[in-house]
Amino acid sequence: MPDSHAGIDPRGPRFAAGITTVLLVVATYLALTGVSPRLGQETASFGWFAYQPLADAVYVPGVSPVAQRIADAGFVAVAIAAALFLWGVLSLRTAPWGVVFRRLVRPRLAPPSELEDPRPPRFAQGVGLFVTVVGLILHAAGVPWALVVAAAAALIAAFLNAAFGLCLGCQLYLLLQRAGILGRSRTA
């Protein structure tokens, strides 16, 4: 990857986190108002092994419950966020928010005093991808509130980065790097 060796403007990931925060606010709201909070109401539990459908379960005739969960607006919004996280993992340089920053915002700013290693922000995108994909899978499987929790967790991390410059995924990367798990050879 050619952009893994060049430094990046540290303001770029923070700008991207601001846009991601807005997207995740919408996704969290849609997840809260969609199917996810009602998933626990579809069945009544009588122990670990027996689930009985309730008489007033919310199903559309002829449509599977899985298809309803996947068609939910919250699911689609979180899936879009996950796709953008994936794009950031695969190519931080061509990710949409990075392109917008480089073409529209950065020319209006003073040059950065220093460039940063792109590996921690890329790792942070991977953490966001992991969190959102787990939420999507659990939501599709019918786990109540999974989508809301995943969207809210990603939202909190994006907000901390946008508002305070605290990148939780970057900090995790540095912690794993110090432990010798990522980024360094163990012979050094």
Side-chain angles (χ1 to χ4, degrees):
M1 290 181 216
D3 62 342
S4 64
H5 300 291
I8 60 172
D9 187 334
R11 299 169 294 188
R14 194 165 177 184
F15 171 80
I19 296 173
T20 303
T21 297
V22 173
L23 173 64
L24 289 169
V25 164
V26 172
T28 304
Y29 173 77
L30 291 173
L32 278 168
T33 59
V35 175
S36 184
R38 294 191 306 260
L39 286 175
Q41 299 172 3
E42 294 173 357
T43 58
S45 173
F46 300 100
W48 287 95
F49 55 87
Y51 283 84
Q52 302 294 326
L54 294 176
D56 60 347
V58 184
Y59 291 117
V60 177
V63 180
S64 77
V66 174
Q68 287 179 24
R69 290 190 293 268
I70 291 173
D72 182 48
F75 184 92
V76 172
V78 174
I80 290 169
L84 290 168
F85 283 134
L86 177 62
W87 196 339
V89 169
L90 296 177
S91 177
L92 200 57
R93 185 163 302 281
T94 63
W97 312 142
V99 171
V100 169
F101 176 78
R102 276 193 319 279
R103 292 195 180 157
L104 301 177
V105 178
R106 188 172 179 187
R108 291 170 172 77
L109 301 174
S113 58
E114 60 185 43
L115 299 177
E116 75 176 1
D117 183 0
R119 292 177 297 179
R122 179 177 286 132
F123 183 81
Q125 293 288 305
V127 172
L129 175 65
F130 177 77
V131 168
T132 53
V133 167
V134 167
L136 291 168
I137 292 169
L138 292 175
H139 177 75
V143 176
W145 296 94
L147 190 64
V148 174
V149 170
L155 168 62
I156 290 167
F159 174 77
L160 287 173
N161 192 0
F164 304 109
L166 175 61
C167 175
L168 296 178
C170 299
Q171 295 301 317
L172 180 60
Y173 179 87
L174 295 173
L175 181 70
L176 293 172
Q177 187 180 43
R178 284 185 198 114
I181 298 170
L182 289 177
R184 291 186 191 166
S185 65
R186 291 182 178 212
T187 59

